[in-house]
């Protein structure tokens, strides 16, 4: 059985997550788009935003103790270098078409109050829109071990994510100038109109981490099909469904 929640994001101003690339002879900075060509808030970006805010919420629920049980739960579900995360986020996409525009930016000389030379930039922004993403509580780890969630643990994750969503005020690039202003809310099957804040009154003082069942280690045996080097080869096909930016350092 899959356990999931939804996140509704109302973008109240121009917004956009820049790709770090532009168009030669045109826009200096373009925004991320999905396979339909629509502006998108990638799941990786959403994960980073909510992880940061969930850490703040967890410390508050632990009454200021950064090593409390809520902080431990937060660290485990979002993952670390030692353990893979236990929740995943989809991209946040809009159901309806989103208008985009090209804006102009200049840098003003503080002495002359005129535009500086070579500081004219054109960048892309998306207009106000409602986006929706899904959060899934993993039932299997990346290694194949089964994750056993209890109802109480799912309720704790729901509460932590709900508080984290509510304290997000802006997303995307250029937040310092007012872009990306938003309202973010967690929506569940049991609460389609929004998460009930009175649940905070009965929040657990000792949330726990789900049990992860161990799996037997893989056994490697000799096989006549292995060549002398001991390596296998297999074809890998990749279908690119959206533009990909390739950097020198992955």
């Amino acid at each position: 059985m899959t356990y999931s929640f939804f996140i509704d994001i109302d973008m109240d101003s121009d917004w956009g997550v820049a790709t770090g690339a532009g168009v030669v002879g045109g826009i200096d900075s373009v925004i991320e788009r999905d396979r339909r060509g629509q502006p998108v808030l990638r799941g990786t970006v959403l994960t980073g935003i909510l992880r940061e805010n969930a850490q703040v919420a967890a410390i508050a629920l632990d009454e200021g103790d950064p090593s409390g049980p809520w902080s431990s739960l937060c660290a485990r579900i979002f993952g670390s270098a030692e353990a893979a995360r236990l929740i995943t986020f989809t991209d946040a996409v809009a159901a309806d078409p989103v208008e985009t525009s090209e804006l102009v930016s200049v840098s003003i000389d503080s002495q002359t109050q005129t535009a500086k030379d070579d500081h004219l930039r054109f960048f892309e922004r998306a207009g106000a829109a409602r986006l929706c993403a899904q959060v899934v509580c993993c039932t299997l780890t990346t290694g194949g071990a089964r994750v056993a969630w209890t109802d109480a643990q799912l309720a704790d994750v729901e509460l932590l994510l709900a508080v984290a969503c509510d304290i997000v005020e802006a997303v995307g690039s250029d937040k310092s100038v007012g872009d990306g202003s938003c309202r973010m809310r967690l929506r569940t099957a049991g609460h389609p109109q929004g998460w009930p804040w009175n649940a905070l009154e009965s929040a657990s003082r000792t949330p726990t981490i789900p049990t992860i069942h161990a799996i037997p280690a893989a056994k490697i045996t000799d096989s006549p099909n292995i060549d002398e080097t001991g390596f296998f080869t297999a074809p890998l096909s990749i279908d690119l469904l959206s533009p990909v930016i390739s950097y020198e350092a992955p």
Side-chain angles (χ1 to χ4, degrees), residues 14 27 31 33 99-103 123-127:
D14 287 347
I27 303 174
I31 59 176
R33 294 177 179 272
E99 294 184 359
T100 59
S101 58
E102 297 175 15
L103 305 182
F123 56 96
E124 188 178 28
R125 282 291 177 269

Side-chain angles (χ1 to χ4, degrees), residues 61-139:
L61 289 166
D62 284 328
E63 299 181 346
D65 181 5
S67 60
W70 280 102
S71 294
S72 297
L73 174 64
C74 178
R76 186 62 188 89
I77 64 174
F78 278 95
S80 64
E82 292 74 30
R85 62 187 179 186
L86 300 181
I87 57 174
T88 60
F89 295 80
T90 67
D91 294 343
V93 298
D96 301 317
V98 180
E99 294 184 359
T100 59
S101 58
E102 297 175 15
L103 305 182
V104 179
S105 172
V106 296
S107 180
I108 302 299
D109 189 302
S110 60
Q111 300 297 322
T112 65
Q113 298 301 310
T114 59
K116 295 179 181 179
D117 293 336
D118 300 324
H119 280 75
L120 178 66
R121 295 180 66 250
F122 295 88
F123 56 96
E124 188 178 28
R125 282 291 177 269
R130 165 166 281 197
L131 310 179
C132 183
Q134 187 176 17
V135 190
V136 177
C137 296
C138 303
T139 54

